[in-house]
Structure formats: structure tokens, C-alpha cells
Amino acid sequence: MNSRRSFIQKAGATAIALSTPAISVFSSPISEIFDQDKILRVAIMGLGSYGTRVAEAMQDCKRAKLVGVISGTPSKIAMWQSKYGIPAKNCYNYENFDAIKDNPDIDAVYVITPNALHKGQTIRVAKAGKHVICEKPMAVNASDAAEMVSACDQAGVKLLIGYRMHFEANTLKAVEMREKGEFGDIKFFQGLSGFKIGDPTQWRLNPELSGGGAMMDIGIYSINGARYMVGEEPIWVTAQEVKTDPVKFKDGIDETITFQMGFPSGVVASCLSTYSMNNLDKFFLNGTQGFAEMQPSTGYGPIQGKTHKGPLNEPHVTHQTTQMDQMAAIIFDGVTPKIPVDGREGFKDMVIIDAIFEAVKTGEKVLLG
């Protein structure tokens, strides 16, 4: 009980310190944003599968350009140099990338490395005077996330989190309908996030690198989705864990967690995070006058959804392309997105994840500050 009280007090105090007003609208229409000439010049740190996906998507960006790389694998650096035309002066490794402070051709670094490395790398980038885009989850706990936010604030640089769904057209349409009251009073949210993970030796199943299992990787989508779909911040969580393979899912790596969140208005969210089942990528929002259902809700391909009024059929654009263009607009033009993507947004998710792990451990409802 003492540890639980300590957790609640610390999380509540930090949440107050890092709280910001809710952001609800774009400050400029997209046509005006894309008329700007300034290009966000980005170095990608971590040249794995998702870093490659981002690099490919950036080839279609109007406001962002891949200009540099940071990697611990020389062969990957050479391959990316050849493929994307990256000059040698914009290539760094994990030991020397602090030198980007003297490189005027790089504006921002996108950190796409294992979760446990995000904190240290983000702080180093910030101290080098460059904006930081950090992949989700932004850290392995709320305390580390708070340090990252503070470091970027002190350095006077932006800290943005790779929440690509915050710019996805069908997602934004559903949020807009909720804001207009088209679903009536919101009563319930369901989030199902999961897949059957493969290679047991990958870093995602190493607690020292990942900070957790399915919750960090995929469950965070249901946490974050509940917040932007409901339009409130949760005030309590409960959670239960099931582990069927303790060899593959060792201590510190969650296999399956069901969790519930309560919101100030009385809305309840019921969610599932798992690494042991496929076909789980669904959001359902229910209100007194209608509903929104999205399946898939967070996958890379087209998001498919419907409401009580019919299909959600906004045009699909590669998520990372839209994300990077919008992040350029946030950094250079002062655009405020409908759903925040800053470090404080990421911190809020980490507070909830900490609370879920605490609820699993104690079997008790954990209150959020």
C-alpha cells in the first residue's frame, strides 16, 4: 500500500507540473501550411524496420526531408547513404552524434531506437540544440518521460512523439463528430490492441531494452486512443494480467493485460493488450445517440471505420508522410494539432502505463492524480 500511495502522489505531482491546456483545433488550414517554404531537415536515429518505414514515407513529404542518419551499424549507414543520397558529414554513430550541434544542416532527430534508450538519446539531442521527434512509447516510465520534457524545455527545443494516428483522417473525423455532439453523451470505449509476436530473441522481449511487453508496444494505442476518442483524461485504472508462456514472456515482459479506465464524466473504457493473439486492432466508441467503430483502428494500412451515420471514408495517405509534414508545421509554423503530439502528451500515457502495471501488481484500483 505504501508503494501504491507513493506512486499516486508522485504521478499526481508530476502531472500537475507538466500539465498543459487541451488543444482542440488546427491553427492554420493545410493549404496554408504546405505553402510554406521551410523544410524540416531530419536525421533518423535507429535504422531498423520502422526507421526504414519512416524514411520511405518521407520521400513523399512536402515539408520534411531525410538528410542524416545515426546508427551503430556502419553497413546500414553506407546502405542508407547510397539509397537516400545522404552526405557523409550528416552520418553519425551512437558515440559521436553529440557533434550534430555543429551541423547547421540538421534541424531535428527522429529517435527510433529501443524504448529504454529514448531518454538518454533524447536528452543528448536536446543538449545539442536540435528538435526531437521520439517514437512511442516515449520512455519506459513516467519519471523518465518527465526528465525528457524538462530537458527539451531547458534546451528550448521541441519534443514531439511519433503519434501518427493523431493526424490520420478517419480518426480525426471521428473525433470531430464526437466534439460536435453527434454521438450524444459518451458512455463507453473499447480498445483491442494485439498481435502474436514472433522472434523470441528480439529486443521487444528484453525487459532491459523494452521496459515491458505488449503494453509498451501495442497496448499504448488503446490507452492513447481512449483519451482522444473519449475526449477526457482517466482518473482511475484497474488491470489484470494473464501469462501463458513464462519462458517467452519472462519477468518484466507482459503477454496479455486487460485493463479498465474510468473518466470524470462516468465513461468507462475496457481494453485489451496482448502479444499472443492476432486480429486485434479495434476501437469502439458508444454514446447515447450514436457510435463510431474503427477496425483496423491503428494499423499502417487504410483505417476502416463506420458510425451510426455511415462509413468513415476519408482518403488514405501514408501515416508517416502526413505525420512528418505536420510536425514540420508544428515546429516551424506554430501549428497546434487537433490531438496533441508533444512530450506532455506522451508523458500522460506513461503515467497511465505505470498505473496499469501497479494495478496488475497490487490487484487494486489505482487513482490517477
Side-chain angles (χ1 to χ4, degrees), residues 58-74:
M58 287 183 68
Q59 303 310 295
D60 294 324
C61 283
K62 298 179 175 67
R63 295 293 309 278
K65 181 180 180 181
L66 174 63
V67 300
V69 293
I70 302 169
S71 174
T73 307

Side-chain angles (χ1 to χ4, degrees), residues 186-262:
I186 303 302
K187 295 296 184 181
F188 175 75
F189 173 85
Q190 180 188 49
L192 304 178
S193 300
F195 63 92
K196 195 168 184 178
I197 199 165
D199 181 9
T201 66
Q202 64 181 282
W203 69 261
R204 289 177 178 83
L205 298 178
N206 179 344
E208 293 184 359
L209 290 176
S210 65
M215 184 60 63
M216 289 287 187
D217 183 21
I218 192 73
I220 191 172
Y221 282 111
S222 281
I223 294 170
N224 192 253
R227 293 175 51 234
Y228 62 68
M229 293 292 283
V230 172
E232 300 180 39
E233 297 298 330
I235 56 176
W236 59 258
V237 302
T238 53
Q240 309 79 36
E241 181 176 10
V242 174
K243 187 171 291 192
T244 64
D245 187 348
V247 176
K248 185 174 185 178
F249 303 104
K250 56 184 75 72
D251 287 346
I253 297 294
D254 49 286
E255 176 185 349
T256 300
I257 294 178
T258 54
F259 61 98
Q260 303 76 41
M261 296 183 286

